[in-house]
Amino acid sequence: MTEHRDPSSVDLVQDASLDVAAHDGAAQGLPASSGALLDPRILAAWREWLAALATDAEAAIAAAHVYGELGPEAREAWLDVLAEDAPKLQVPTVAIYAPLLSVESDAARRERIEIAIAMGEEDGELAPRPAGGFALRGIAAGGDRVVALVTPLYLRFVRVLWCRYLPEDGIAWARHDPIVRAEEAPGPGMLLDGAQIEVTPIKLVIEELCHAILAQQRKGAELPPSLQLCADLFDAHLEGDPLP
């Protein structure tokens, strides 16, 4: 016998988001404050899901994943809907938008999201990413550095940039986990590419990564997309060259 399972809010919002994508970005099926819906269940599920983003890591990760799978027009439609619905919810604005910002690489949409976050703040100033974080680094075979760079995202969520590099040669690989529960972040002593990683000053790791990025650019190699999503970490200049 097949078990019956009522669709979760994540299922419904995923269906709504895919419906947006299928309609070239028109907000058909995606809830809006006007209440114009193809399925009346979606509005309640959508708002319940948005509220969960403040405390539920699975909902936040699902939001980042679904948004990241959408095309440009569908992403614009999602942001249009949020612009109408977000002010009506008793949820921190940063909790609604931060999962999207974590996977958005388009400069114009990133600016739009950052402005939306800022407008949700009482002082009206642009809300920066929380300061802090820590780095774990080890030395792999051949002298390659392997690191896990953990930086705060919002509330109890962090993002993790995993990377293997040589400062003078470039980036071997990079991976980005956009949203992770803080208690599930990597810790000292774990193995990465066969090397044990330990706490290392974050400034040193970022400086090494900056040099590796410049080395990558100078030999004409493309930067991994994961590094591009974390470009704000490398807001510095080394040897007179601007970083991406």
Side-chain angles (χ1 to χ4, degrees), residues 44-63:
W46 167 259
R47 289 180 174 170
E48 179 184 353
W49 194 50
L50 290 179
L53 297 180
T55 57
D56 186 342
E58 290 184 1
I61 291 168

Side-chain angles (χ1 to χ4, degrees), residues 56-75:
D56 186 342
E58 290 184 1
I61 291 168
H65 175 74
V66 175
Y67 180 84
E69 292 295 313
L70 296 178
E73 293 183 352
R75 291 188 185 190

Side-chain angles (χ1 to χ4, degrees), residues 12-13 15-17 19-20 23 26-47 81 84-85:
L12 292 172
V13 174
D15 290 344
S17 304
D19 189 57
V20 170
H23 288 80
Q28 300 180 38
L30 190 63
S33 60
S34 64
L37 302 171
L38 294 181
D39 186 336
R41 299 174 303 164
I42 295 179
L43 179 60
W46 167 259
R47 289 180 174 170
V81 171
E84 296 187 44
D85 280 358

Side-chain angles (χ1 to χ4, degrees), residues 231-242:
D232 60 289
L233 295 175
F234 313 111
D235 184 16
H237 290 71
L238 292 176
E239 301 178 2
D241 291 335

Side-chain angles (χ1 to χ4, degrees), residues 185-203:
M190 75 170 292
L191 292 178
L192 180 60
D193 273 9
Q196 185 169 294
I197 55 177
E198 301 293 348
V199 175
T200 304
I202 192 169
K203 182 178 179 181

